[in-house]
Structure formats: structure tokens, C-alpha cells
Amino acid sequence: MRGATHAKWAACAAVVTLMATGCGGGGDSGAGGADGIVTSSWTDPQNPLEPANTNEVQGGKVLDMIFRGLKKYDPKTGAATDMLAERIETTDSVNFTVTVKDGWTFSNGEKVTARSFVDAWNYGAHLKNNQKNAYFFGYIEGYEQVHPASGTARAETMSGLKVVDDRTFTVKLSQKFSTWPDTLGYSAFAPLPKAFFDDHDAWLAKPIGNGPYTLQSYRKGSKAELRRWDAYNGPDKAQNGGIDLIVYTDNNTAYTDLIAGNIDLVDDIPAAQLKNVRADLGDRYINQPAGILQTLAFPFYDKAWNTPDGAMVRKGLSMAINRQQITDTIFQKTRTPARDWTSPVLGPEGGSDHALCGEVCEYDPAEAKRLIAEGGGLPGGQVKITYNADTGSHKDWVDAVCNSINNALGNDRACVGRPVGTFADFRNKIGEKEMPGPFRAGWQMDYPLIQNFLQPLYYTNASSNDGKWTNKKFDDLVDRANAESDQARAVETFKQAEEVVRDEMAAIPLWYQNGSAGYSERLSGVALNPFSVPVYNEIKVD
């Protein structure tokens, strides 16, 4: 999805005048027991909180609290389990019959039906609605008519979606996709109530969902207040009274507020505090593997970075980065040097392969210098790595990467950091194709499949293909992998596609990222899921 934002912060000092108790445990957040309110660090999402228009972590956190879809990912294993789906049946991996469980409603009392899904998916896919996650509906037959690559839409709805009755709908895909049901826990596939379509602006101001929380209020730059929905009848009811997501522009400030008792939960410990966190928090510090990969992406829409010999330059840059030294000194073992373009949480059977990247992910200054020279040198003579500056940790590692490149090339100006003020500004500039060189591109998995680490990022015109890389061989292998009915063969075919990413160095893998968090003594039951997001509904306030 979520193009790993991990720009999670907004300075409390900047918003304290807007809310007397917003950054602390005062007010209603001081209550304990089942009605206690948890205060947690956050950053404003890039876009309004529409399920099909949110592809970054911060907005995704809210959607994961206020919506439930056909599937849900197990908070411990990441496995896709049925939520609103009573069953999803197919005999050919093309035609699926979906039966929706009875008894589910939206928080406004409207019943969740088969049409709630079909209408939502048609809206998300249609070109005129300009939804960032439209691509996720691309395997449904008729998508090309509602979302053509050029020109205007030739249909209002996808021909592959049919409502049978209140609880049943059918889906016809344009090709075999054996693991398609496992993708349906992603928030883009959430159902929508009629209110979304009847008064869209009103819905955006106060979204109506069907999850364990409702969004009571959201003030941009300040906080979002989510409250437990007592009428929620799902199996994962909220164990607290609600969550206040406090906007920070500096994760160090968030951490300081946690230590001072002014906030309950920080879900990304800043790099500068990693040397202190064990002493500060003891057992209230969480550090665990997560489905997150940090990379450097490239602007392939810029001819300077898309030359016939450009792969040699990109491989040279990869070999100029001393990943082990950076992860040891800056990240204090909360990162592990990347050896492929997936994540260790998938396991070998899921496609994780530490041998796949090979020597081009190993630090070799001499070979790095040779490859860059043979590839025509650095475009413009200098690499500018763009990153968002509203979190302290990005500057630290970008500076370290540049120092490593400069040392390898014997040129202290070969690489420089290029900060952009906020995460929203950063994402907007990426969307407007304004990257002058490599840019940070973390990825947090949407679902635990190797497909999710490859197709959304590197397939031609994919939703999170921010560098606009395109390669027909890669696309064809992904299509073949999706069509495989045997999971092991599908994984091996995806790995062949990943080898194309390696050979062209479509992005430079940097490190696998652990999920990290710290919490106050008021809380218990705090855990991170495999996506590194707190399992908010399980947190208890003591």
C-alpha cells in the first residue's frame, strides 16, 4: 500500500494551543478500564479517508479501525481470514461467488449487503473518481472500460461484478488469479454505505464505516478522535473507549512526550533514541520483524536516469552503500540489510530469498566506482536523494548513505540529501513527477504475499510505481505467476520476475525494517501486527 510512509509525526508543541489536553493523558484520556482513551502518535494522511484513495500508512491506520472487509489479516500471523465473507468459492480461479455474512451494519444503521461491496468497487475503479487504489480492481473483467489507459471511460460499471441477491455477488476476473481472495483484506476493497454516494462531501467530513471504531472528529494538523462503536458485532471489539491520534511533525518530540507521560503510544521509535529506549521503557519497548522494506526508487520518467546503461549506474550506487554499517550504527539492530525486494516475514516458502540480490547488494567500493564509470557516470555529476524532513530518522540515514557513496567514489559531493518539508508535500511531488534523482520509497505490505512486494511497485502503470519503471518481461512473468493455481509454482514465477527487477536494478533495496513501538504504563495488551501497525482494538487502559 501503502507506500511506506513512516513519516508519522507532528509536533505537539505546534498544536497545543488548539487543545488543552490533546498531547497528554488529561481529559477523557485519563480514564482507565474499558472506557479509557489511548493517545497515539500520528501524521496527517495524504488524502481524504476514502478506502480506494488511501495508499499510505497513516490514512490506512484509520481505515483499518473504521472498516471491516471480506477478509481480515490475522494480527499475529498476517494470514487472510474470513471477516464479512461467509465463503468465497471458485472452480477455475476466474469466476468467484462471494457470500456476505448476515447481521453486519454500518455505524449509521444501514445493512451491509453485496451491493455495498459492488458499488464501492465500481466507484474505486472508475476513472472519473481518480482513486489512487483503482489499480487494485484491475483484474476484474471490465476494468479497462471504466478505467482506460487513455481517453474517457466507456462504461459506468465493471462487467465482471454482478449482484445476485442481498448477500451474494459474483466476480469474474480477466485472467486466472488463484490468490485473489487473499487480497480482499486490503482497505481498498472495503464496503461503502449509501451515504457515501448520496452526500459525498458530508461523508468525507465524517466517514461512516462498519468497523469497531467510528471517527468522531478530525482536525488536520491536530488530531483524529476515534471512539469505540458499541453496536459493532464483529469478533474483534475494541477493548478501550477510543483512540486519539495526535499529529506530530517530529518523532523525537513524540518520544519525549511518551517519556514525560504526555502520550500513551509511539509506534515508530526515532533512530536518535534507539540507544536509550531499552533503559527508558524496558519491557514497554517493542521491536519485531515487520513486512516493511526500505528502498531507493528512481525517476525513470527522467531520461537522465533511464539510459541504456543506466542499470550499471544503479547497481554501482547499490554497491557503494555500506548497509551493514548503517544498520548497525544508526538503527541499532532495528533494521537488517536487504538481500532481496520482499521481506523475511514471508519466509522462504512465501518467496523471501536472501540470496536473490547477490553481489549487487554487497558493499564493494571498487566495483561500485567501476560500474558507475562504465555506465556513463552519475547524471548531472551528482546524486540528490529526496526525502521528507518531518521525521528525524530519514535525514540520519540519507546522510549516512550519501557519506558511504561519497567515500566509495572518492568525491565528497557525489551524493547529497534533498529534504522536502512534509510527507504530504513529498508524496505530492512524487505524484507530479518532480524527483530529480533517487528518492526514499519504503513499502509496507498490504497483504503477506510476494505479489504485493512486486506488482504494485514495478508493474507497468501500477498504483505505487512511483518511478514509472516499465519492463514487459517483468509484466509477463507477473501475469503468469498470478495465473498459477499451485502456490509453490506461483512463488517461483514471482521470484523470476523479481530477478528482472534485480537485473535492471529498478530500485535499490536498503534494509528490512522492524516494527518498533513504545508505550506508557497506563496501557496493556499492546502489540504490533506484521504490518508494524498497533493492534489498537486489543489495547487496554489500566
Side-chain angles (χ1 to χ4, degrees):
M1 119 176 81
R2 311 180 179 177
T5 70
H6 289 90
K8 300 181 183 266
W9 318 107
C12 212
V15 299
V16 71
T17 58
L18 298 178
M19 51 184 181
T21 62
C23 291
D28 62 354
S29 63
D35 294 325
I37 305 301
V38 179
T39 53
S40 182
S41 59
W42 192 50
T43 284
D44 285 313
Q46 180 187 9
N47 300 302
L49 294 168
E50 297 173 283
N53 202 32
T54 296
N55 66 349
E56 42 77 32
V57 176
Q58 305 308 323
K61 287 178 182 177
V62 177
L63 294 180
D64 289 345
M65 284 192 272
I66 66 175
F67 280 102
R68 287 293 178 264
L70 294 168
K71 295 277 188 175
K72 185 177 185 296
Y73 300 113
D74 185 278
K76 292 184 175 62
T77 67
T81 58
D82 288 340
M83 183 54 75
L84 270 74
E86 184 168 291
R87 56 186 177 274
I88 301 176
E89 300 169 301
T90 184
T91 58
D92 58 7
S93 296
V94 171
N95 294 282
F96 295 83
T97 298
V98 180
T99 304
V100 180
K101 289 178 181 176
D102 197 13
W104 282 80
T105 65
F106 293 100
S107 60
N108 64 351
E110 178 188 330
K111 188 176 181 180
V112 181
T113 66
R115 184 161 295 283
S116 306
F117 288 96
V118 170
D119 287 350
W121 296 5
N122 276 320
Y123 179 91
H126 204 286
L127 181 65
K128 68 182 178 183
N129 299 320
N130 195 31
Q131 300 288 281
K132 289 188 175 295
N133 287 328
Y135 179 81
F136 279 86
F137 306 102
Y139 274 93
I140 299 175
E141 187 177 78
Y143 175 80
E144 292 181 353
Q145 279 67 52
V146 302
H147 202 117
S150 61
T152 58
R154 299 185 295 276
E156 286 300 305
T157 60
M158 291 180 284
S159 58
L161 290 179
K162 303 289 185 185
V163 174
V164 177
D165 56 41
D166 265 7
R167 293 180 52 210
T168 311
F169 67 100
T170 59
V171 184
K172 183 177 183 180
L173 305 184
S174 56
Q175 68 173 75
K176 288 185 177 181
F177 191 173
S178 59
T179 55
W180 177 76
D182 288 346
T183 71
L184 300 179
Y186 183 42
S187 58
F189 295 102
L192 287 170
K194 294 176 183 176
F196 178 90
F197 306 99
D198 293 342
D199 192 338
H200 190 221
D201 289 341
W203 190 95
L204 289 178
K206 194 169 184 179
I208 297 166
N210 66 323
Y213 294 91
T214 61
L215 183 61
Q216 180 172 293
S217 68
Y218 169 40
R219 286 176 285 170
K220 188 176 177 64
S222 175
K223 69 174 176 177
E225 295 179 332
L226 293 109
R227 293 297 178 263
R228 181 182 62 219
W229 178 31
D230 288 328
Y232 175 71
N233 65 348
D236 52 342
K237 293 178 181 291
Q239 303 299 305
N240 50 68
I243 310 292
D244 280 355
L245 297 174
I246 311 299
V247 178
Y248 280 83
T249 54
D250 181 359
N251 55 353
N252 286 289
T253 304
Y255 183 82
T256 300
D257 276 349
L258 172 64
I259 300 305
N262 295 327
I263 194 171
D264 292 317
L265 176 62
V266 170
D267 66 342
D268 194 3
I269 304 299
Q273 301 296 341
L274 290 173
K275 61 183 180 296
N276 306 317
V277 66
R278 283 289 183 194
D280 289 342
L281 297 175
D283 292 342
R284 292 180 286 111
Y285 168 54
I286 300 172
N287 177 32
Q288 67 185 47
I292 302 173
L293 175 69
Q294 296 290 338
T295 68
L296 287 180
F298 292 89
F300 289 94
Y301 46 80
D302 184 339
K303 291 182 180 179
W305 284 100
N306 194 8
T307 64
D309 294 325
M312 282 192 287
V313 175
R314 297 189 293 275
K315 289 178 181 178
L317 287 171
S318 175
M319 299 180 79
I321 299 171
N322 192 334
R323 295 166 177 80
Q324 192 67 60
Q325 183 182 70
I326 293 171
T327 54
D328 285 349
T329 57
I330 290 181
F331 293 117
Q332 301 286 311
K333 303 188 185 303
T334 61
R335 310 289 190 275
T336 306
R339 298 289 182 256
D340 70 352
W341 283 260
T342 69
S343 166
V345 301
L346 296 180
E349 69 285 351
S352 176
D353 185 349
H354 287 186
L356 192 139
C357 189
E359 64 181 12
V360 291
C361 284
E362 300 293 338
Y363 181 57
D364 188 337
E367 183 65 4
K369 195 170 185 178
R370 185 191 71 79
L371 282 171
I372 290 172
E374 190 173 334
L378 301 176
Q382 186 180 62
V383 173
K384 297 178 180 178
I385 300 178
T386 304
Y387 63 96
N388 54 293
D390 55 353
T391 172
S393 59
H394 293 318
K395 182 182 189 306
D396 294 340
W397 71 256
V398 169
D399 287 348
V401 166
C402 278
N403 286 338
S404 185
I405 292 172
N406 292 342
N407 290 337
L409 301 185
N411 176 359
D412 63 5
R413 296 297 296 167
C415 179
V416 296
R418 179 178 177 266
V420 172
T422 68
F423 173 72
D425 291 341
F426 174 67
R427 290 298 309 171
N428 288 336
K429 289 183 182 298
I430 288 173
E432 293 162 4
K433 301 181 182 179
E434 293 182 359
M435 293 294 107
F439 53 97
R440 80 162 197 90
W443 181 253
Q444 179 197 54
M445 66 181 183
D446 303 306
Y447 39 86
L449 297 174
I450 184 175
Q451 179 263 356
N452 189 240
F453 282 92
L454 298 175
Q455 187 167 356
L457 293 163
Y458 307 113
Y459 197 92
T460 300
N461 295 323
S463 59
S464 295
N465 186 348
D466 292 332
K468 306 306 177 186
W469 184 69
T470 182
N471 184 285
K472 187 177 186 302
K473 182 178 180 181
F474 173 86
D475 291 353
D476 289 345
L477 284 165
V478 167
D479 289 342
R480 279 177 47 198
N482 281 329
E484 284 284 1
S485 57
D486 180 83
Q487 183 175 354
R489 286 200 299 267
V491 168
E492 286 306 311
T493 308
F494 274 121
K495 287 174 66 174
Q496 292 175 35
E498 189 180 355
E499 290 171 0
V500 179
V501 173
R502 175 199 63 198
D503 295 343
E504 294 298 317
M505 196 53 73
I508 294 176
L510 295 173
W511 36 77
Y512 311 116
Q513 182 169 320
N514 279 12
S516 66
Y519 58 94
S520 74
E521 294 177 345
R522 298 177 65 236
L523 305 186
S524 62
V526 181
L528 300 179
N529 63 25
F531 305 87
S532 87
V533 173
V535 187
Y536 289 109
N537 62 286
E538 294 184 0
I539 297 174
K540 296 180 180 179
V541 181
D542 298 331

